Amino acid sequence: MTRRSTLPDRFELHPQLAADTHPLASFALCELRLMDDANYPWLVLVPRAVNAREMTDLDAGQRHALSDDIDRASHLLLDVFQPFKINVAAIGNVVPQLHVHVIARYEIDPAWPAPVWGRVRAQSYSPETLVERVNLLRESLLT
Amino acid sequence: MTRRSTLPDRFELHPQLAADTHPLASFALCELRLMDDANYPWLVLVPRAVNAREMTDLDAGQRHALSDDIDRASHLLLDVFQPFKINVAAIGNVVPQLHVHVIARYEIDPAWPAPVWGRVRAQSYSPETLVERVNLLRESLLT
């Protein structure tokens, strides 16, 4: 049996997503990660589907599981941060691996009312704030 | 029996969405509409759910139906326009009625690789081009 060396045959997180986000939890289909931008409570869902680039690369069962994971991530943000609005987006123009942004928005956040991309420079969490934020989100998932 | 006059008890398209888009088709859950911006092939899905503002306002069956409608709209764009990428987004910071953008993106379009919002001014279709575009999309839905 030969193996193709150019395409991964198991799920691997794209290096850019690994660099920009921190691990939070494994949901039914997706890895849940925290975007390293303290400007907004910003989650990223990455389906563990090999070589998926578009939502249309998922089968119906996977798409519905993605919808359920988006719902769970949205409720997590609503419960923990009480935002004014949730933004959900699969863009992927730069990083080709399918990933979905789930972002808590406030009328006083630095990009409001525009979408967050291209507005203000990302603010990395300090180590202390990152640990606090990750623990807060993980604990809320357990309750 | 009294009726509340402040909240609609049946689905009505938000006036801003009605002004910015043209009707294309009725999908299982959503109204499918064409954004009046010739810069990008840009579809908008509006779930016929009363007072829905967030995806979390939908029940699981509605969310899965929305996923199916997004899949159908995405395949329509892929079939008709062969884009480089599909962008899917539920933002709703300005127009509160839940609606999902499904946008065909090209590496040569005026906002690439940024998301489309806030980049270049919308270009309304000319009447002739609008009729042609609407007919093209409607015919593709029939095949």
Side-chain angles (χ1 to χ4, degrees), chain A residues 54-87:
Chain A
E54 301 278 4
M55 283 187 188
T56 51
D57 294 331
L58 304 179
D59 64 31
Q62 290 173 317
R63 283 193 292 95
H64 296 175
L66 174 59
S67 171
D68 295 344
D69 283 356
I70 292 170
D71 191 65
R72 195 175 171 198
S74 300
H75 278 290
L76 177 62
L77 292 179
L78 291 168
D79 291 347
V80 175
F81 300 107
Q82 291 88 43
F84 181 77
K85 188 72 187 69
I86 300 281
N87 291 173

PDB file of all heavy atoms in Angstrom, chain A residues 54-87:
ATOM      1  N   GLU A  54     -13.799  24.316   2.361  1.00  0.00           N
ATOM      2  CA  GLU A  54     -15.101  24.978   2.336  1.00  0.00           C
ATOM      3  C   GLU A  54     -16.083  24.157   3.165  1.00  0.00           C
ATOM      4  O   GLU A  54     -15.910  22.942   3.320  1.00  0.00           O
ATOM      5  CB  GLU A  54     -15.651  25.043   0.892  1.00  0.00           C
ATOM      6  CG  GLU A  54     -14.783  25.775  -0.108  1.00  0.00           C
ATOM      7  CD  GLU A  54     -14.968  27.286  -0.043  1.00  0.00           C
ATOM      8  OE1 GLU A  54     -15.724  27.777   0.833  1.00  0.00           O
ATOM      9  OE2 GLU A  54     -14.353  27.976  -0.875  1.00  0.00           O
ATOM     10  N   MET A  55     -17.155  24.818   3.653  1.00  0.00           N
ATOM     11  CA  MET A  55     -18.230  24.055   4.299  1.00  0.00           C
ATOM     12  C   MET A  55     -18.796  23.003   3.344  1.00  0.00           C
ATOM     13  O   MET A  55     -19.265  21.955   3.789  1.00  0.00           O
ATOM     14  CB  MET A  55     -19.347  25.008   4.737  1.00  0.00           C
ATOM     15  CG  MET A  55     -19.028  25.806   5.999  1.00  0.00           C
ATOM     16  SD  MET A  55     -20.503  26.721   6.523  1.00  0.00           S
ATOM     17  CE  MET A  55     -19.823  27.743   7.816  1.00  0.00           C
ATOM     18  N   THR A  56     -18.761  23.277   2.060  1.00  0.00           N
ATOM     19  CA  THR A  56     -19.283  22.308   1.085  1.00  0.00           C
ATOM     20  C   THR A  56     -18.408  21.058   0.995  1.00  0.00           C
ATOM     21  O   THR A  56     -18.811  20.082   0.358  1.00  0.00           O
ATOM     22  CB  THR A  56     -19.405  22.938  -0.318  1.00  0.00           C
ATOM     23  OG1 THR A  56     -18.144  23.552  -0.656  1.00  0.00           O
ATOM     24  CG2 THR A  56     -20.499  23.979  -0.369  1.00  0.00           C
ATOM     25  N   ASP A  57     -17.235  21.072   1.603  1.00  0.00           N
ATOM     26  CA  ASP A  57     -16.404  19.860   1.652  1.00  0.00           C
ATOM     27  C   ASP A  57     -16.871  18.897   2.739  1.00  0.00           C
ATOM     28  O   ASP A  57     -16.375  17.771   2.810  1.00  0.00           O
ATOM     29  CB  ASP A  57     -14.933  20.227   1.894  1.00  0.00           C
ATOM     30  CG  ASP A  57     -14.334  20.992   0.730  1.00  0.00           C
ATOM     31  OD1 ASP A  57     -14.792  20.788  -0.413  1.00  0.00           O
ATOM     32  OD2 ASP A  57     -13.401  21.795   0.958  1.00  0.00           O
ATOM     33  N   LEU A  58     -17.775  19.336   3.595  1.00  0.00           N
ATOM     34  CA  LEU A  58     -18.309  18.467   4.655  1.00  0.00           C
ATOM     35  C   LEU A  58     -19.551  17.741   4.137  1.00  0.00           C
ATOM     36  O   LEU A  58     -20.297  18.288   3.315  1.00  0.00           O
ATOM     37  CB  LEU A  58     -18.685  19.309   5.884  1.00  0.00           C
ATOM     38  CG  LEU A  58     -17.577  20.177   6.494  1.00  0.00           C
ATOM     39  CD1 LEU A  58     -18.135  20.952   7.692  1.00  0.00           C
ATOM     40  CD2 LEU A  58     -16.368  19.351   6.899  1.00  0.00           C
ATOM     41  N   ASP A  59     -19.796  16.534   4.634  1.00  0.00           N
ATOM     42  CA  ASP A  59     -21.064  15.881   4.304  1.00  0.00           C
ATOM     43  C   ASP A  59     -22.156  16.431   5.223  1.00  0.00           C
ATOM     44  O   ASP A  59     -21.880  17.212   6.151  1.00  0.00           O
ATOM     45  CB  ASP A  59     -20.940  14.352   4.372  1.00  0.00           C
ATOM     46  CG  ASP A  59     -20.635  13.823   5.766  1.00  0.00           C
ATOM     47  OD1 ASP A  59     -21.067  14.443   6.756  1.00  0.00           O
ATOM     48  OD2 ASP A  59     -19.963  12.785   5.868  1.00  0.00           O
ATOM     49  N   ALA A  60     -23.402  16.039   4.975  1.00  0.00           N
ATOM     50  CA  ALA A  60     -24.526  16.639   5.703  1.00  0.00           C
ATOM     51  C   ALA A  60     -24.407  16.411   7.206  1.00  0.00           C
ATOM     52  O   ALA A  60     -24.663  17.321   8.007  1.00  0.00           O
ATOM     53  CB  ALA A  60     -25.855  16.095   5.171  1.00  0.00           C
ATOM     54  N   GLY A  61     -23.992  15.216   7.604  1.00  0.00           N
ATOM     55  CA  GLY A  61     -23.837  14.936   9.030  1.00  0.00           C
ATOM     56  C   GLY A  61     -22.789  15.827   9.665  1.00  0.00           C
ATOM     57  O   GLY A  61     -22.982  16.337  10.782  1.00  0.00           O
ATOM     58  N   GLN A  62     -21.678  16.025   8.967  1.00  0.00           N
ATOM     59  CA  GLN A  62     -20.631  16.910   9.480  1.00  0.00           C
ATOM     60  C   GLN A  62     -21.113  18.362   9.530  1.00  0.00           C
ATOM     61  O   GLN A  62     -20.810  19.090  10.476  1.00  0.00           O
ATOM     62  CB  GLN A  62     -19.381  16.804   8.602  1.00  0.00           C
ATOM     63  CG  GLN A  62     -18.636  15.481   8.718  1.00  0.00           C
ATOM     64  CD  GLN A  62     -17.509  15.363   7.713  1.00  0.00           C
ATOM     65  OE1 GLN A  62     -17.664  15.719   6.536  1.00  0.00           O
ATOM     66  NE2 GLN A  62     -16.364  14.872   8.158  1.00  0.00           N
ATOM     67  N   ARG A  63     -21.864  18.795   8.498  1.00  0.00           N
ATOM     68  CA  ARG A  63     -22.368  20.172   8.518  1.00  0.00           C
ATOM     69  C   ARG A  63     -23.299  20.412   9.696  1.00  0.00           C
ATOM     70  O   ARG A  63     -23.248  21.471  10.342  1.00  0.00           O
ATOM     71  CB  ARG A  63     -23.072  20.499   7.202  1.00  0.00           C
ATOM     72  CG  ARG A  63     -22.132  20.774   6.038  1.00  0.00           C
ATOM     73  CD  ARG A  63     -22.852  21.400   4.867  1.00  0.00           C
ATOM     74  NE  ARG A  63     -23.782  20.506   4.215  1.00  0.00           N
ATOM     75  CZ  ARG A  63     -25.086  20.434   4.458  1.00  0.00           C
ATOM     76  NH1 ARG A  63     -25.643  21.249   5.339  1.00  0.00           N
ATOM     77  NH2 ARG A  63     -25.848  19.572   3.823  1.00  0.00           N
ATOM     78  N   HIS A  64     -24.153  19.448   9.970  1.00  0.00           N
ATOM     79  CA  HIS A  64     -25.068  19.608  11.102  1.00  0.00           C
ATOM     80  C   HIS A  64     -24.306  19.587  12.425  1.00  0.00           C
ATOM     81  O   HIS A  64     -24.631  20.328  13.355  1.00  0.00           O
ATOM     82  CB  HIS A  64     -26.159  18.540  11.048  1.00  0.00           C
ATOM     83  CG  HIS A  64     -27.042  18.655   9.839  1.00  0.00           C
ATOM     84  ND1 HIS A  64     -28.011  17.748   9.530  1.00  0.00           N
ATOM     85  CD2 HIS A  64     -27.083  19.586   8.843  1.00  0.00           C
ATOM     86  CE1 HIS A  64     -28.617  18.102   8.410  1.00  0.00           C
ATOM     87  NE2 HIS A  64     -28.073  19.218   7.969  1.00  0.00           N
ATOM     88  N   ALA A  65     -23.264  18.747  12.494  1.00  0.00           N
ATOM     89  CA  ALA A  65     -22.422  18.731  13.705  1.00  0.00           C
ATOM     90  C   ALA A  65     -21.685  20.064  13.855  1.00  0.00           C
ATOM     91  O   ALA A  65     -21.528  20.575  14.975  1.00  0.00           O
ATOM     92  CB  ALA A  65     -21.424  17.573  13.640  1.00  0.00           C
ATOM     93  N   LEU A  66     -21.257  20.648  12.739  1.00  0.00           N
ATOM     94  CA  LEU A  66     -20.631  21.969  12.793  1.00  0.00           C
ATOM     95  C   LEU A  66     -21.623  23.008  13.311  1.00  0.00           C
ATOM     96  O   LEU A  66     -21.287  23.845  14.157  1.00  0.00           O
ATOM     97  CB  LEU A  66     -20.116  22.363  11.404  1.00  0.00           C
ATOM     98  CG  LEU A  66     -19.556  23.780  11.272  1.00  0.00           C
ATOM     99  CD1 LEU A  66     -18.389  24.008  12.228  1.00  0.00           C
ATOM    100  CD2 LEU A  66     -19.131  24.063   9.825  1.00  0.00           C
ATOM    101  N   SER A  67     -22.863  22.941  12.835  1.00  0.00           N
ATOM    102  CA  SER A  67     -23.897  23.864  13.317  1.00  0.00           C
ATOM    103  C   SER A  67     -24.091  23.707  14.828  1.00  0.00           C
ATOM    104  O   SER A  67     -24.232  24.701  15.559  1.00  0.00           O
ATOM    105  CB  SER A  67     -25.205  23.601  12.564  1.00  0.00           C
ATOM    106  OG  SER A  67     -26.276  24.325  13.132  1.00  0.00           O
ATOM    107  N   ASP A  68     -24.080  22.457  15.303  1.00  0.00           N
ATOM    108  CA  ASP A  68     -24.239  22.220  16.744  1.00  0.00           C
ATOM    109  C   ASP A  68     -23.035  22.780  17.517  1.00  0.00           C
ATOM    110  O   ASP A  68     -23.191  23.347  18.605  1.00  0.00           O
ATOM    111  CB  ASP A  68     -24.388  20.723  17.028  1.00  0.00           C
ATOM    112  CG  ASP A  68     -25.663  20.136  16.437  1.00  0.00           C
ATOM    113  OD1 ASP A  68     -26.569  20.907  16.071  1.00  0.00           O
ATOM    114  OD2 ASP A  68     -25.750  18.897  16.332  1.00  0.00           O
ATOM    115  N   ASP A  69     -21.826  22.611  16.962  1.00  0.00           N
ATOM    116  CA  ASP A  69     -20.637  23.144  17.639  1.00  0.00           C
ATOM    117  C   ASP A  69     -20.643  24.677  17.651  1.00  0.00           C
ATOM    118  O   ASP A  69     -20.241  25.298  18.641  1.00  0.00           O
ATOM    119  CB  ASP A  69     -19.361  22.632  16.953  1.00  0.00           C
ATOM    120  CG  ASP A  69     -19.038  21.177  17.310  1.00  0.00           C
ATOM    121  OD1 ASP A  69     -19.757  20.586  18.143  1.00  0.00           O
ATOM    122  OD2 ASP A  69     -18.061  20.636  16.753  1.00  0.00           O
ATOM    123  N   ILE A  70     -21.105  25.294  16.552  1.00  0.00           N
ATOM    124  CA  ILE A  70     -21.229  26.764  16.515  1.00  0.00           C
ATOM    125  C   ILE A  70     -22.226  27.220  17.581  1.00  0.00           C
ATOM    126  O   ILE A  70     -22.012  28.216  18.280  1.00  0.00           O
ATOM    127  CB  ILE A  70     -21.670  27.235  15.110  1.00  0.00           C
ATOM    128  CG1 ILE A  70     -20.559  26.999  14.084  1.00  0.00           C
ATOM    129  CG2 ILE A  70     -22.088  28.712  15.132  1.00  0.00           C
ATOM    130  CD1 ILE A  70     -20.996  27.204  12.634  1.00  0.00           C
ATOM    131  N   ASP A  71     -23.329  26.483  17.705  1.00  0.00           N
ATOM    132  CA  ASP A  71     -24.344  26.821  18.704  1.00  0.00           C
ATOM    133  C   ASP A  71     -23.749  26.748  20.112  1.00  0.00           C
ATOM    134  O   ASP A  71     -23.975  27.649  20.939  1.00  0.00           O
ATOM    135  CB  ASP A  71     -25.519  25.848  18.568  1.00  0.00           C
ATOM    136  CG  ASP A  71     -26.729  26.276  19.382  1.00  0.00           C
ATOM    137  OD1 ASP A  71     -27.300  27.335  19.071  1.00  0.00           O
ATOM    138  OD2 ASP A  71     -27.102  25.567  20.325  1.00  0.00           O
ATOM    139  N   ARG A  72     -22.960  25.702  20.363  1.00  0.00           N
ATOM    140  CA  ARG A  72     -22.349  25.532  21.692  1.00  0.00           C
ATOM    141  C   ARG A  72     -21.336  26.644  21.967  1.00  0.00           C
ATOM    142  O   ARG A  72     -21.300  27.205  23.077  1.00  0.00           O
ATOM    143  CB  ARG A  72     -21.677  24.152  21.757  1.00  0.00           C
ATOM    144  CG  ARG A  72     -21.328  23.707  23.141  1.00  0.00           C
ATOM    145  CD  ARG A  72     -20.785  22.286  23.155  1.00  0.00           C
ATOM    146  NE  ARG A  72     -20.260  21.970  24.482  1.00  0.00           N
ATOM    147  CZ  ARG A  72     -19.434  20.968  24.741  1.00  0.00           C
ATOM    148  NH1 ARG A  72     -19.040  20.163  23.768  1.00  0.00           N
ATOM    149  NH2 ARG A  72     -18.992  20.758  25.963  1.00  0.00           N
ATOM    150  N   ALA A  73     -20.519  26.978  20.969  1.00  0.00           N
ATOM    151  CA  ALA A  73     -19.536  28.061  21.148  1.00  0.00           C
ATOM    152  C   ALA A  73     -20.243  29.404  21.349  1.00  0.00           C
ATOM    153  O   ALA A  73     -19.809  30.232  22.158  1.00  0.00           O
ATOM    154  CB  ALA A  73     -18.606  28.119  19.943  1.00  0.00           C
ATOM    155  N   SER A  74     -21.329  29.628  20.628  1.00  0.00           N
ATOM    156  CA  SER A  74     -22.075  30.887  20.761  1.00  0.00           C
ATOM    157  C   SER A  74     -22.679  31.002  22.159  1.00  0.00           C
ATOM    158  O   SER A  74     -22.615  32.075  22.786  1.00  0.00           O
ATOM    159  CB  SER A  74     -23.188  30.954  19.709  1.00  0.00           C
ATOM    160  OG  SER A  74     -22.669  30.882  18.398  1.00  0.00           O
ATOM    161  N   HIS A  75     -23.287  29.912  22.637  1.00  0.00           N
ATOM    162  CA  HIS A  75     -23.865  29.946  23.982  1.00  0.00           C
ATOM    163  C   HIS A  75     -22.788  30.161  25.041  1.00  0.00           C
ATOM    164  O   HIS A  75     -23.018  30.836  26.046  1.00  0.00           O
ATOM    165  CB  HIS A  75     -24.647  28.662  24.262  1.00  0.00           C
ATOM    166  CG  HIS A  75     -26.035  28.690  23.704  1.00  0.00           C
ATOM    167  ND1 HIS A  75     -27.025  29.502  24.216  1.00  0.00           N
ATOM    168  CD2 HIS A  75     -26.589  28.046  22.659  1.00  0.00           C
ATOM    169  CE1 HIS A  75     -28.138  29.332  23.524  1.00  0.00           C
ATOM    170  NE2 HIS A  75     -27.909  28.451  22.559  1.00  0.00           N
ATOM    171  N   LEU A  76     -21.604  29.590  24.812  1.00  0.00           N
ATOM    172  CA  LEU A  76     -20.497  29.824  25.751  1.00  0.00           C
ATOM    173  C   LEU A  76     -20.184  31.320  25.840  1.00  0.00           C
ATOM    174  O   LEU A  76     -20.058  31.881  26.942  1.00  0.00           O
ATOM    175  CB  LEU A  76     -19.268  29.034  25.276  1.00  0.00           C
ATOM    176  CG  LEU A  76     -17.983  29.209  26.080  1.00  0.00           C
ATOM    177  CD1 LEU A  76     -18.164  28.748  27.517  1.00  0.00           C
ATOM    178  CD2 LEU A  76     -16.825  28.445  25.413  1.00  0.00           C
ATOM    179  N   LEU A  77     -20.073  31.983  24.678  1.00  0.00           N
ATOM    180  CA  LEU A  77     -19.797  33.428  24.694  1.00  0.00           C
ATOM    181  C   LEU A  77     -20.950  34.204  25.329  1.00  0.00           C
ATOM    182  O   LEU A  77     -20.721  35.146  26.105  1.00  0.00           O
ATOM    183  CB  LEU A  77     -19.552  33.931  23.268  1.00  0.00           C
ATOM    184  CG  LEU A  77     -18.272  33.450  22.586  1.00  0.00           C
ATOM    185  CD1 LEU A  77     -18.183  34.020  21.168  1.00  0.00           C
ATOM    186  CD2 LEU A  77     -17.032  33.856  23.394  1.00  0.00           C
ATOM    187  N   LEU A  78     -22.188  33.829  24.994  1.00  0.00           N
ATOM    188  CA  LEU A  78     -23.347  34.531  25.565  1.00  0.00           C
ATOM    189  C   LEU A  78     -23.369  34.378  27.084  1.00  0.00           C
ATOM    190  O   LEU A  78     -23.627  35.345  27.813  1.00  0.00           O
ATOM    191  CB  LEU A  78     -24.647  33.987  24.956  1.00  0.00           C
ATOM    192  CG  LEU A  78     -24.896  34.313  23.478  1.00  0.00           C
ATOM    193  CD1 LEU A  78     -26.054  33.474  22.928  1.00  0.00           C
ATOM    194  CD2 LEU A  78     -25.189  35.805  23.276  1.00  0.00           C
ATOM    195  N   ASP A  79     -23.081  33.178  27.562  1.00  0.00           N
ATOM    196  CA  ASP A  79     -23.145  32.920  29.002  1.00  0.00           C
ATOM    197  C   ASP A  79     -22.030  33.654  29.752  1.00  0.00           C
ATOM    198  O   ASP A  79     -22.261  34.223  30.812  1.00  0.00           O
ATOM    199  CB  ASP A  79     -23.013  31.415  29.282  1.00  0.00           C
ATOM    200  CG  ASP A  79     -24.230  30.624  28.822  1.00  0.00           C
ATOM    201  OD1 ASP A  79     -25.259  31.254  28.521  1.00  0.00           O
ATOM    202  OD2 ASP A  79     -24.143  29.391  28.751  1.00  0.00           O
ATOM    203  N   VAL A  80     -20.818  33.617  29.203  1.00  0.00           N
ATOM    204  CA  VAL A  80     -19.667  34.132  29.940  1.00  0.00           C
ATOM    205  C   VAL A  80     -19.529  35.647  29.778  1.00  0.00           C
ATOM    206  O   VAL A  80     -19.151  36.334  30.731  1.00  0.00           O
ATOM    207  CB  VAL A  80     -18.376  33.416  29.486  1.00  0.00           C
ATOM    208  CG1 VAL A  80     -17.142  34.030  30.151  1.00  0.00           C
ATOM    209  CG2 VAL A  80     -18.451  31.917  29.790  1.00  0.00           C
ATOM    210  N   PHE A  81     -19.837  36.170  28.594  1.00  0.00           N
ATOM    211  CA  PHE A  81     -19.495  37.576  28.314  1.00  0.00           C
ATOM    212  C   PHE A  81     -20.711  38.479  28.076  1.00  0.00           C
ATOM    213  O   PHE A  81     -20.539  39.694  27.936  1.00  0.00           O
ATOM    214  CB  PHE A  81     -18.559  37.653  27.099  1.00  0.00           C
ATOM    215  CG  PHE A  81     -17.275  36.899  27.297  1.00  0.00           C
ATOM    216  CD1 PHE A  81     -17.038  35.700  26.649  1.00  0.00           C
ATOM    217  CD2 PHE A  81     -16.303  37.400  28.155  1.00  0.00           C
ATOM    218  CE1 PHE A  81     -15.850  34.999  26.843  1.00  0.00           C
ATOM    219  CE2 PHE A  81     -15.115  36.714  28.350  1.00  0.00           C
ATOM    220  CZ  PHE A  81     -14.885  35.504  27.692  1.00  0.00           C
ATOM    221  N   GLN A  82     -21.911  37.905  27.978  1.00  0.00           N
ATOM    222  CA  GLN A  82     -23.114  38.727  27.724  1.00  0.00           C
ATOM    223  C   GLN A  82     -22.889  39.780  26.635  1.00  0.00           C
ATOM    224  O   GLN A  82     -23.093  40.977  26.861  1.00  0.00           O
ATOM    225  CB  GLN A  82     -23.592  39.421  29.005  1.00  0.00           C
ATOM    226  CG  GLN A  82     -24.164  38.478  30.049  1.00  0.00           C
ATOM    227  CD  GLN A  82     -23.108  37.922  30.975  1.00  0.00           C
ATOM    228  OE1 GLN A  82     -22.237  38.657  31.415  1.00  0.00           O
ATOM    229  NE2 GLN A  82     -23.150  36.641  31.278  1.00  0.00           N
ATOM    230  N   PRO A  83     -22.467  39.372  25.441  1.00  0.00           N
ATOM    231  CA  PRO A  83     -22.218  40.356  24.379  1.00  0.00           C
ATOM    232  C   PRO A  83     -23.527  40.924  23.822  1.00  0.00           C
ATOM    233  O   PRO A  83     -24.613  40.370  24.045  1.00  0.00           O
ATOM    234  CB  PRO A  83     -21.493  39.547  23.309  1.00  0.00           C
ATOM    235  CG  PRO A  83     -22.034  38.160  23.479  1.00  0.00           C
ATOM    236  CD  PRO A  83     -22.219  37.986  24.972  1.00  0.00           C
ATOM    237  N   PHE A  84     -23.401  42.011  23.072  1.00  0.00           N
ATOM    238  CA  PHE A  84     -24.551  42.598  22.385  1.00  0.00           C
ATOM    239  C   PHE A  84     -24.928  41.767  21.163  1.00  0.00           C
ATOM    240  O   PHE A  84     -26.099  41.670  20.800  1.00  0.00           O
ATOM    241  CB  PHE A  84     -24.205  44.024  21.953  1.00  0.00           C
ATOM    242  CG  PHE A  84     -25.321  44.743  21.256  1.00  0.00           C
ATOM    243  CD1 PHE A  84     -26.379  45.272  21.975  1.00  0.00           C
ATOM    244  CD2 PHE A  84     -25.310  44.895  19.878  1.00  0.00           C
ATOM    245  CE1 PHE A  84     -27.425  45.942  21.335  1.00  0.00           C
ATOM    246  CE2 PHE A  84     -26.347  45.562  19.227  1.00  0.00           C
ATOM    247  CZ  PHE A  84     -27.405  46.086  19.962  1.00  0.00           C
ATOM    248  N   LYS A  85     -23.909  41.154  20.517  1.00  0.00           N
ATOM    249  CA  LYS A  85     -24.139  40.428  19.256  1.00  0.00           C
ATOM    250  C   LYS A  85     -23.080  39.350  19.112  1.00  0.00           C
ATOM    251  O   LYS A  85     -21.961  39.516  19.606  1.00  0.00           O
ATOM    252  CB  LYS A  85     -24.041  41.416  18.071  1.00  0.00           C
ATOM    253  CG  LYS A  85     -24.450  40.862  16.728  1.00  0.00           C
ATOM    254  CD  LYS A  85     -25.953  40.648  16.630  1.00  0.00           C
ATOM    255  CE  LYS A  85     -26.339  39.917  15.333  1.00  0.00           C
ATOM    256  NZ  LYS A  85     -25.893  38.527  15.313  1.00  0.00           N
ATOM    257  N   ILE A  86     -23.441  38.264  18.454  1.00  0.00           N
ATOM    258  CA  ILE A  86     -22.474  37.240  18.064  1.00  0.00           C
ATOM    259  C   ILE A  86     -22.239  37.348  16.550  1.00  0.00           C
ATOM    260  O   ILE A  86     -23.202  37.482  15.784  1.00  0.00           O
ATOM    261  CB  ILE A  86     -22.989  35.825  18.396  1.00  0.00           C
ATOM    262  CG1 ILE A  86     -23.258  35.671  19.892  1.00  0.00           C
ATOM    263  CG2 ILE A  86     -22.008  34.760  17.894  1.00  0.00           C
ATOM    264  CD1 ILE A  86     -22.031  35.449  20.729  1.00  0.00           C
ATOM    265  N   ASN A  87     -20.984  37.332  16.128  1.00  0.00           N
ATOM    266  CA  ASN A  87     -20.659  37.249  14.699  1.00  0.00           C
ATOM    267  C   ASN A  87     -20.113  35.855  14.413  1.00  0.00           C
ATOM    268  O   ASN A  87     -19.228  35.376  15.140  1.00  0.00           O
ATOM    269  CB  ASN A  87     -19.596  38.287  14.304  1.00  0.00           C
ATOM    270  CG  ASN A  87     -20.090  39.730  14.346  1.00  0.00           C
ATOM    271  OD1 ASN A  87     -19.297  40.655  14.176  1.00  0.00           O
ATOM    272  ND2 ASN A  87     -21.387  39.944  14.574  1.00  0.00           N
TER     273      ASN A  87
END
